[in-house]
Amino acid sequence: AMSLFRMLMGDFDYEALQANNRLVAALFVVLFQLTMFLIMLNMLVAIVMDDYSETKRALMHGETLWQEVYQICQRAFENYKGVRISFDVILKSFIRKRGVKCLKSTNVISKAEFMEIVPGLSADQADNIVTSAVQEWGENHRFEVTMPQLLSSASVAAACATATRLAIKKRKKAAE
């Protein structure tokens, strides 16, 4: 196995292989190198495609470029009119009231508390920000369950159900 790995890295004695049978040595080296190249290429393609599918799945729910441009322009216009408060003002208000540590905090705040921290924040804007934050947090904190985890959870649930049934039967017998 180590000789084949060294051969894959290009460190092998072709003259020693050729001494036994010239045709077999040439055929073995070419076929081995070609096979290993195709296997490595296949692994690379699998990794790239997996990353591509993850990125594509994440972007399926994303906005198009034109939707984002429209949203940026709309927010700038609302900021200009004074209907909306910019993110910079909201961030500065948070830092002023709660300190820099609040930026890394995972504490949940209510809409009313949010409006109290940021003076002049409308209920609609506060509601939109809080709703978006909750949705983003949920998307970023999803976890995938593997089949062994699922099966172990199912077996634990089955064991609990069996134990519960036995306990109910014992109670019924004791009550009789």
Side-chain angles (χ1 to χ4, degrees), residues 83-85 111 114-115 118-129:
V83 177
R84 184 180 173 280
I85 296 178
K111 179 176 143 181
F114 189 35
M115 291 173 64
V118 182
L121 185 67
S122 70
D124 287 340
Q125 187 178 359
D127 194 39
N128 288 339
I129 292 171

Short mmCIF file of all heavy atoms in Angstrom, two decimals, residues 83-85 111 114-115 118-129:
data_model
loop_
_atom_site.label_atom_id
_atom_site.label_comp_id
_atom_site.label_asym_id
_atom_site.label_seq_id
_atom_site.Cartn_x
_atom_site.Cartn_y
_atom_site.Cartn_z
N VAL A 83 -38.97 59.04 7.96
CA VAL A 83 -39.96 58.01 8.30
C VAL A 83 -39.30 56.81 8.94
O VAL A 83 -39.92 56.10 9.72
CB VAL A 83 -40.71 57.57 7.00
CG1 VAL A 83 -41.69 56.46 7.27
CG2 VAL A 83 -41.38 58.75 6.36
N ARG A 84 -38.04 56.63 8.64
CA ARG A 84 -37.30 55.45 9.08
C ARG A 84 -36.00 55.90 9.71
O ARG A 84 -35.44 56.93 9.36
CB ARG A 84 -37.03 54.60 7.83
CG ARG A 84 -36.37 53.31 8.05
CD ARG A 84 -36.17 52.60 6.69
NE ARG A 84 -35.38 51.42 6.86
CZ ARG A 84 -34.07 51.40 6.98
NH1 ARG A 84 -33.39 52.52 6.90
NH2 ARG A 84 -33.43 50.28 7.16
N ILE A 85 -35.49 55.09 10.64
CA ILE A 85 -34.21 55.38 11.29
C ILE A 85 -33.17 54.45 10.69
O ILE A 85 -33.41 53.25 10.54
CB ILE A 85 -34.31 55.19 12.82
CG1 ILE A 85 -35.30 56.19 13.40
CG2 ILE A 85 -32.96 55.32 13.47
CD1 ILE A 85 -35.52 56.06 14.87
N LYS A 111 -40.21 44.00 21.51
CA LYS A 111 -40.39 45.13 20.61
C LYS A 111 -40.47 46.43 21.42
O LYS A 111 -39.87 47.44 21.05
CB LYS A 111 -41.67 44.91 19.80
CG LYS A 111 -42.01 46.00 18.84
CD LYS A 111 -43.24 45.58 18.04
CE LYS A 111 -44.13 46.73 17.77
NZ LYS A 111 -45.33 46.38 17.03
N PHE A 114 -37.08 47.37 22.60
CA PHE A 114 -36.32 47.84 21.44
C PHE A 114 -36.66 49.29 21.14
O PHE A 114 -35.79 50.12 20.91
CB PHE A 114 -36.64 46.93 20.25
CG PHE A 114 -35.79 47.14 19.04
CD1 PHE A 114 -34.46 47.50 19.12
CD2 PHE A 114 -36.33 46.98 17.78
CE1 PHE A 114 -33.68 47.67 18.00
CE2 PHE A 114 -35.57 47.16 16.64
CZ PHE A 114 -34.24 47.50 16.76
N MET A 115 -37.95 49.62 21.18
CA MET A 115 -38.39 50.99 20.90
C MET A 115 -37.94 51.94 22.01
O MET A 115 -37.70 53.12 21.75
CB MET A 115 -39.91 51.03 20.73
CG MET A 115 -40.37 50.35 19.46
SD MET A 115 -42.15 50.22 19.31
CE MET A 115 -42.63 51.93 19.24
N VAL A 118 -34.12 52.72 21.35
CA VAL A 118 -33.89 53.57 20.18
C VAL A 118 -34.99 54.62 20.13
O VAL A 118 -36.10 54.34 19.70
CB VAL A 118 -33.88 52.74 18.88
CG1 VAL A 118 -33.57 53.63 17.69
CG2 VAL A 118 -32.89 51.59 18.97
N PRO A 119 -34.71 55.84 20.55
CA PRO A 119 -35.74 56.88 20.53
C PRO A 119 -36.14 57.22 19.10
O PRO A 119 -35.31 57.32 18.21
CB PRO A 119 -35.07 58.06 21.23
CG PRO A 119 -33.62 57.78 21.22
CD PRO A 119 -33.44 56.32 21.08
N GLY A 120 -37.44 57.37 18.88
CA GLY A 120 -37.96 57.74 17.56
C GLY A 120 -38.19 56.56 16.64
O GLY A 120 -38.62 56.76 15.50
N LEU A 121 -37.94 55.35 17.10
CA LEU A 121 -38.15 54.15 16.29
C LEU A 121 -39.65 53.86 16.21
O LEU A 121 -40.33 53.77 17.23
CB LEU A 121 -37.41 52.96 16.89
CG LEU A 121 -37.42 51.66 16.10
CD1 LEU A 121 -36.64 51.82 14.80
CD2 LEU A 121 -36.80 50.54 16.92
N SER A 122 -40.17 53.74 14.99
CA SER A 122 -41.59 53.48 14.84
C SER A 122 -41.90 52.02 15.17
O SER A 122 -41.02 51.15 15.09
CB SER A 122 -42.04 53.79 13.41
OG SER A 122 -41.51 52.85 12.51
N ALA A 123 -43.15 51.76 15.49
CA ALA A 123 -43.57 50.40 15.82
C ALA A 123 -43.41 49.47 14.61
O ALA A 123 -43.00 48.32 14.76
CB ALA A 123 -45.01 50.40 16.31
N ASP A 124 -43.71 49.99 13.41
CA ASP A 124 -43.58 49.17 12.20
C ASP A 124 -42.13 48.78 11.94
O ASP A 124 -41.83 47.62 11.65
CB ASP A 124 -44.13 49.91 10.98
CG ASP A 124 -45.64 50.00 10.98
OD1 ASP A 124 -46.28 49.18 11.68
OD2 ASP A 124 -46.18 50.86 10.26
N GLN A 125 -41.23 49.75 12.06
CA GLN A 125 -39.83 49.45 11.81
C GLN A 125 -39.28 48.49 12.87
O GLN A 125 -38.55 47.56 12.55
CB GLN A 125 -38.98 50.72 11.77
CG GLN A 125 -37.55 50.46 11.33
CD GLN A 125 -36.71 51.72 11.23
OE1 GLN A 125 -37.19 52.83 11.47
NE2 GLN A 125 -35.45 51.56 10.90
N ALA A 126 -39.66 48.70 14.13
CA ALA A 126 -39.22 47.81 15.20
C ALA A 126 -39.74 46.40 14.95
O ALA A 126 -39.01 45.41 15.11
CB ALA A 126 -39.71 48.33 16.55
N ASP A 127 -41.00 46.30 14.54
CA ASP A 127 -41.60 45.00 14.26
C ASP A 127 -40.87 44.31 13.10
O ASP A 127 -40.57 43.12 13.17
CB ASP A 127 -43.07 45.18 13.93
CG ASP A 127 -43.84 43.88 13.95
OD1 ASP A 127 -43.56 43.05 14.84
OD2 ASP A 127 -44.72 43.69 13.08
N ASN A 128 -40.57 45.07 12.04
CA ASN A 128 -39.85 44.49 10.89
C ASN A 128 -38.46 44.00 11.29
O ASN A 128 -38.03 42.92 10.87
CB ASN A 128 -39.73 45.52 9.76
CG ASN A 128 -41.03 45.76 9.06
OD1 ASN A 128 -41.95 44.95 9.12
ND2 ASN A 128 -41.14 46.91 8.40
N ILE A 129 -37.75 44.79 12.09
CA ILE A 129 -36.39 44.42 12.49
C ILE A 129 -36.41 43.19 13.38
O ILE A 129 -35.63 42.25 13.18
CB ILE A 129 -35.68 45.60 13.19
CG1 ILE A 129 -35.43 46.73 12.19
CG2 ILE A 129 -34.38 45.15 13.84
CD1 ILE A 129 -34.94 48.01 12.83
#
